[in-house]
Amino acid sequence: VKLAEGPFSIIQRAFTHKLVSDFNMESLETLGDGVLNESVTMIIVGNWPNLLVQPAQVANMKKYHTNNENIAKYAAKLGLIK
């Protein structure tokens, strides 16, 4: 994985696991995961407020959007990985 440069580099490092790169901030990985999960949940509920009465559906959507494969796709679209 080639690390990004510029303003997104700290964000990328926070989400980079030590098995992927020698340059990472694994101590921030847990924090990054928490921020990601909360952000995705807020986006889902903000766009589909009717799902508040269906927590299992929110959980399934969050699980889909935060799985490693989709996160890699989103990171590539943002230029965080190349």
Side-chain angles (χ1 to χ4, degrees):
V1 172
K2 183 175 173 147
L3 295 176
E5 295 180 13
F8 287 115
S9 65
I10 188 71
I11 296 169
Q12 181 189 25
R13 291 177 193 143
F15 286 94
T16 301
H17 193 276
K18 68 179 180 180
L19 295 178
V20 177
S21 172
D22 289 337
F23 192 78
N24 66 76
M25 295 183 179
E26 191 173 359
S27 61
L28 293 177
E29 184 181 1
T30 301
L31 176 61
D33 290 347
V35 169
L36 177 66
N37 283 318
E38 183 66 23
S39 298
V40 169
T41 300
M42 291 174 66
I43 291 168
I44 291 168
V45 172
N47 286 296
W48 298 282
N50 59 318
L51 291 179
L52 281 172
V53 296
Q54 300 174 347
Q57 185 67 23
V58 173
N60 288 337
M61 289 177 75
K62 182 177 74 170
K63 183 177 178 182
Y64 171 80
H65 288 289
T66 59
N67 73 39
N68 288 341
E69 183 179 333
N70 285 327
I71 291 298
K73 289 177 187 177
Y74 303 146
K77 285 182 182 181
L78 290 171
L80 298 175
I81 59 174
K82 298 178 183 198

